[in-house]
């Protein structure tokens, strides 16, 4: 509520707090912050269920305070009838922004109950002039414009109506101005125009009257009685308005004495100017609202003046000024409550007359913190304040009691999950992997609700302890950790296994003759690994040092090559070996492979023959050759296959380049330089 507002708390409010997630927590007016509050995350709600008892259409204010007492959210719930009610908070500021994580106190305060509206039915009034609360908590309203008194229970339930009118009969009223009730429940009504005080039993049956019913100044005579009250002994005080006095009668209606005299009079005297109403404290002290005198007078139980609050004859709006004070009440501590209709306030003073505070803004209106001509004030045994708000046709109730407090933990932070073991630097394990998961909520958080895991992100299992991965290749571990409010931590890790080393093959390439290589030999190493992949291949030649294979290895001598590969997981292949023999032909020799165009042969360029006339040719032989003639022109066997048919027994040395064949036939000629 904006502006000046009194946070008077309810007389009896039992708070039962439940949370959407946590178990129910019971609270009472004396409850401190619960030892184990519920927890929510922003967007979900905490539900506060509260029960109002002895409460009449009260306004409940809910205030949520965070660290340091700062208010983060509040709600104003008007016109709450007695019974069970609920209010929810979603863990956010009023603009919807999530509040920070932490504990938040939730305070409930009931205030400003309302009874009645304009009309002539039950629960309706037409200019209520006075309100009185009995010792049993019943509420009595002098319904001035409807010429009746209405009676309600302490919870605001309609009970009965006393009187009708206008009229002058025993059970009729003509502008009733005030009502009082004694300890036995008898009802006393100041019947303004009939110049009487009429008395009824608790059921509304007429009993008797005080006063003659005629205007007068004598004992038992009144000039417009405006107020009535009953003290603890049953004595009746009648405010005889236009006689400017108070007449006191015993419980049987016998005149006892008069308090006051006509006029303003100086301070310290007992002069009144059209007094409106009075109250008697438990000790017999008499408090008089002197409407025309613009002040409140206090007298002892013998009628001796004690003090005056306000300046007689002077109106104003200050703390010690009044504008036609019409009623006065006193609580058990002697604090004085004054209905100040001209200022639209109820002003409160201590028992020495020192100003304490006011109820109402001072600006007439129908708002929750406003009055429009508050004519009367009274208190019940709990100290709750009742005000007859005449022009708003309602009774306002301001409840006083301790504040009910509970709390809730806001937790918007997901838990943290660790997955062990850590992967090796290579990212691959070379054996089965024992997996352990651990989940923890954030410091000061709500605590863990569950931890689950999955190996396929489809089928989930509660995590109850470690498990082992055995499958070769990539393994995914998924987890879902949830705290009490429902914050989830979803994650995954790849835990890869590769136990198998790569496989390497070696191939040789070059010119060969009879299984031996007659040229440089190229060794090609090829490795495969189906899991983590080949990291490197290495080799060593003739038991030398290991060297990394880079895709080019050529040797030109008889060799033994050892080789192996390693994958990225670190699995190292067992050594393998390949060997070859390298032979060297004389320079210029054409191998059989070259001659017959066998695979792998590199043909040598054919020399261009030189033809020299026969007479000049000379052939010199270092040995006598034996030349065998082939039986066919094109041999069917290669020289490698039939070396015995190679066509020569020894090499011949020619001094000249010309060769003269003397015998016809088929020959195979080998030559070298």
């Amino acid at each position: 509520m904006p502006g000046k507002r009194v946070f008077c708390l309810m007389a009896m409010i039992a708070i039962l707090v439940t949370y959407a997630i946590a178990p129910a927590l019971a609270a009472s007016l004396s409850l401190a912050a619960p030892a184990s509050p519920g927890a929510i995350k922003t967007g979900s709600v905490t539900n506060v269920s509260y029960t109002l008892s002895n409460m009449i259409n009260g306004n409940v204010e809910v205030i949520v305070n965070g660290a340091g007492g700062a208010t983060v959210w509040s709600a104003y719930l008007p016109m709450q009838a007695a019974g069970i009610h609920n209010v929810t908070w979603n863990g956010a500021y009023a603009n919807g922004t999530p509040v920070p994580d932490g504990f938040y106190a939730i305070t409930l305060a009931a205030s400003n109950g309302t009874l009645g509206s304009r009309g002539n039915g039950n629960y309706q009034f037409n200019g209520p002039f006075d309100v009185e609360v009995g010792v049993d908590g019943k509420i009595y309203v002098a319904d001035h414009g409807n010429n009746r008194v209405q009676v309600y229970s302490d919870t605001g339930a309609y009970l009965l109506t006393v009187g009708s009118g206008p009229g002058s009969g025993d059970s009729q009223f003509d502008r009733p101005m005030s009502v009082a009730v004694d300890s036995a429940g008898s009802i006393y009504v100041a019947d303004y125009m009939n110049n009487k005080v009429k008395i009824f039993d608790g059921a509304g049956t007429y009993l008797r009257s005080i006063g003659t019913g005629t205007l007068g100044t004598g004992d038992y005579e009144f000039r417009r009685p405006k107020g009535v009250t009953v003290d603890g002994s049953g004595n009746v005080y009648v405010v005889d308005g236009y006689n400017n006095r108070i007449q006191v009668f015993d419980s049987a209606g016998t005149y006892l004495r008069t308090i006051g005299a006509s006029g303003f009079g100086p301070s310290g005297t007992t002069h009144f100017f059209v007094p409106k109403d009075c109250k008697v404290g438990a000790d017999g002290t008499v408090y008089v609202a002197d409407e025309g005198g613009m002040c409140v007078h206090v007298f002892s139980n013998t009628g001796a003046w004690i003090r005056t609050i306000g300046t007689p004859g002077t109106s104003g709006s200050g703390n010690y000024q009044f504008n036609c004070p019409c009623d006065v009440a006193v609580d058990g501590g002697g604090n004085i409550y004054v209905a100040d209709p001209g200022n639209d306030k109820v002003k409160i003073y201590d028992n020495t007359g020192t100003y304490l505070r006011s109820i109402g803004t001072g600006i007439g209106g129908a708002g929750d913190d406003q009055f429009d001509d508050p004519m009367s004030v009274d208190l019940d045994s709990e100290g709750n304040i009742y005000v007859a708000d005449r022009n708003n046709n309602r009774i306002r109730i301001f409840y006083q009691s301790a504040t009910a407090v509970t709390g809730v933990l806001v937790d918007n932070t997901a838990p943290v999950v660790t997955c062990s073991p850590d992967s090796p630097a290579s990212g691959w394990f070379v054996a089965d992997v024992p997996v352990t998961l651990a989940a923890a909520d954030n410091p000061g958080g709500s605590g863990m609700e569950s931890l689950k895991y999955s190996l396929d992100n489809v089928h989930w299992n509660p995590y109850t302890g470690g498990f082992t991965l055995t499958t070769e290749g990539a393994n995914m571990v998924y987890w879902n950790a949830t705290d009490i409010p429902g914050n989830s931590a979803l994650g995954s890790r790849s835990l890869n296994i590769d136990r198998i080393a790569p496989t390497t093959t070696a191939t040789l390439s070059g010119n060969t003759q009879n299984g031996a290589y007659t040229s440089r030999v190229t060794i090609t190493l090829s490795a495969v690994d189906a899991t983590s992949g080949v990291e490197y291949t290495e080799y060593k030649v003739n038991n030398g040092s290991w060297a990394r294979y880079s895709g080019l290895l050529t040797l030109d001598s008889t060799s033994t090559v050892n080789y192996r590969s390693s994958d990225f997981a670190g699995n190292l292949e067992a050594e393998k070996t390949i060997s070859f023999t390298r032979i060297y032909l004389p320079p210029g020799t054409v191998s059989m492979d070259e001659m017959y165009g066998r695979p792998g042969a590199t043909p040598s360029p054919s020399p261009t023959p030189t033809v020299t006339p026969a007479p000049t040719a000379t052939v010199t032989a270092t040995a006598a050759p034996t030349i065998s003639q082939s039986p066919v022109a094109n041999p069917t066997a290669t020289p490698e296959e039939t070396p015995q048919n190679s066509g020569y027994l020894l090499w011949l040395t020619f001094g000249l380049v010309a060769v003269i064949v003397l015998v016809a036939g088929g020959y195979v000629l080998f030559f070298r330089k």
Side-chain angles (χ1 to χ4, degrees), residues 82-353:
I84 299 174
H85 304 272
N86 294 280
V87 62
T88 60
W89 179 52
N90 66 355
Y93 293 102
N95 63 5
T97 303
V99 300
D101 287 7
F103 178 79
Y104 290 83
I106 302 176
T107 302
L108 283 86
S111 64
N112 305 14
T114 300
L115 175 63
S117 60
R118 182 175 177 81
N120 56 18
N122 299 335
Y123 301 101
Q124 293 183 318
F125 307 117
N126 184 4
F129 259 63
D130 195 21
V131 60
E132 178 85 1
V133 183
V135 293
D136 58 358
K138 290 180 181 177
I139 304 164
Y140 301 81
V141 180
D143 189 4
H144 180 79
N146 285 323
N147 293 294
R148 63 186 180 179
V149 170
Q150 292 194 64
V151 184
Y152 297 86
S153 73
D154 58 355
T155 62
Y158 171 80
L159 297 178
L160 72 147
T161 294
V162 179
S164 62
S168 58
D170 290 342
S171 296
Q172 291 184 309
F173 303 122
D174 192 351
R175 302 185 189 180
M177 295 283 282
S178 182
V179 62
V181 61
D182 64 18
S183 59
S186 296
I187 303 166
Y188 299 72
V189 181
D191 190 0
Y192 181 76
M193 292 301 291
N194 285 319
N195 292 295
K196 288 182 180 181
V197 170
K198 294 179 179 178
I199 306 170
F200 304 82
D201 67 14
T205 301
Y206 175 80
L207 298 176
R208 63 185 183 276
S209 294
I210 299 175
T212 63
T214 59
L215 290 171
T217 59
D219 299 340
Y220 300 100
E221 292 182 325
F222 308 118
R223 291 182 62 197
R224 308 304 184 212
K226 303 183 83 174
V228 62
T229 194
V230 182
D231 67 15
S233 300
N235 297 316
V236 182
Y237 295 70
V238 180
V239 179
D240 190 5
Y242 290 99
N243 280 325
N244 298 304
R245 63 184 181 179
I246 295 173
Q247 293 193 63
V248 184
F249 304 86
D250 66 15
S251 59
T254 302
Y255 173 81
L256 296 177
R257 65 183 183 274
T258 295
I259 302 173
S262 180
F264 293 115
S267 179
T269 64
T270 56
H271 288 75
F272 303 131
F273 187 71
V274 194
K276 168 62 180 68
D277 216 333
C278 72
K279 290 293 191 303
V280 181
D283 60 356
T285 302
V286 181
Y287 304 82
V288 181
D290 191 4
E291 181 181 10
M294 307 296 173
C295 59
V296 171
H297 298 292
V298 184
F299 302 92
S300 72
N301 57 1
T302 63
W305 178 87
I306 296 176
R307 71 178 53 88
T308 296
I309 303 174
T311 303
T314 302
S315 65
S317 60
N319 292 338
Y320 292 93
Q321 294 179 311
F322 304 108
N323 188 355
C324 300
C326 283
D327 197 10
V328 62
V330 61
D331 64 19
N335 296 312
I336 303 165
Y337 300 73
V338 181
D340 188 8
N343 286 315
D344 292 307
K345 289 183 178 180
V346 171
K347 294 178 179 177
I348 305 172
Y349 302 84
D350 68 14
N351 58 5
T352 66

Side-chain angles (χ1 to χ4, degrees), residues 351-363:
N351 58 5
T352 66
T354 300
Y355 174 81
L356 298 177
R357 64 187 186 277
S358 293
I359 304 175
T361 63
I363 300 174

Side-chain angles (χ1 to χ4, degrees), residues 379 454 501 563 618 641 649 664:
L379 293 95
S454 172
Y563 58 93
T618 301
E641 293 168 341
L649 296 177

Side-chain angles (χ1 to χ4, degrees), residues 16-70:
L16 177 64
V17 181
T18 60
Y19 299 95
I21 301 173
L25 296 172
S28 67
L29 284 178
S30 59
L31 179 71
S36 300
I40 63 169
K41 66 177 181 178
T42 301
S44 62
V45 297
T46 180
N47 181 65
V48 180
S49 177
Y50 58 95
T51 301
L52 300 179
S53 56
N54 292 338
M55 183 73 186
I56 303 170
N57 296 332
N59 303 318
V60 175
E61 188 164 34
V62 183
I63 301 174
V64 179
N65 295 320

Side-chain angles (χ1 to χ4, degrees), residues 630-651:
S630 175
V632 293
N634 294 311
T636 59
T638 67
E640 287 181 342
E641 293 168 341
T642 55
Q644 68 274 15
N645 296 326
S646 59
Y648 64 90
L649 296 177
L650 69 155
W651 290 99

Side-chain angles (χ1 to χ4, degrees), residues 338-480:
V338 181
D340 188 8
N343 286 315
D344 292 307
K345 289 183 178 180
V346 171
K347 294 178 179 177
I348 305 172
Y349 302 84
D350 68 14
N351 58 5
T352 66
T354 300
Y355 174 81
L356 298 177
R357 64 187 186 277
S358 293
I359 304 175
T361 63
I363 300 174
D368 191 61
D369 54 353
Q370 291 180 304
F371 302 119
D372 190 353
D373 215 5
M375 293 296 294
S376 175
V377 60
D378 200 15
L379 293 95
D380 64 19
S381 59
E382 301 291 335
N384 302 311
I385 304 168
Y386 297 72
V387 179
D389 189 8
R390 182 176 70 167
N391 290 337
N392 284 319
N393 295 290
R394 63 188 180 181
I395 305 300
R396 301 301 314 284
I397 307 115
F398 300 88
Y399 293 92
Q400 300 190 67
S401 182
T403 301
V405 179
T406 184
V408 63
L409 181 68
V410 176
D411 182 359
N412 291 315
T413 304
V416 176
V417 179
T418 56
C419 178
S420 299
D422 293 333
S423 293
S426 67
W428 292 87
F429 294 90
V430 295
D432 292 349
V433 182
V435 180
T436 302
L437 298 176
D441 203 13
N442 55 299
S446 55
M448 292 301 304
E449 177 72 15
S450 66
L451 175 60
K452 299 178 180 180
Y453 76 96
S454 172
L455 300 181
D456 58 8
N457 206 23
V458 176
H459 303 91
W460 290 87
N461 308 294
Y463 179 78
T464 57
F467 54 92
T468 301
L469 300 176
T470 61
T471 303
E472 185 83 3
N475 294 277
M476 290 298 297
V477 176
Y478 303 88
W479 60 79
N480 183 358

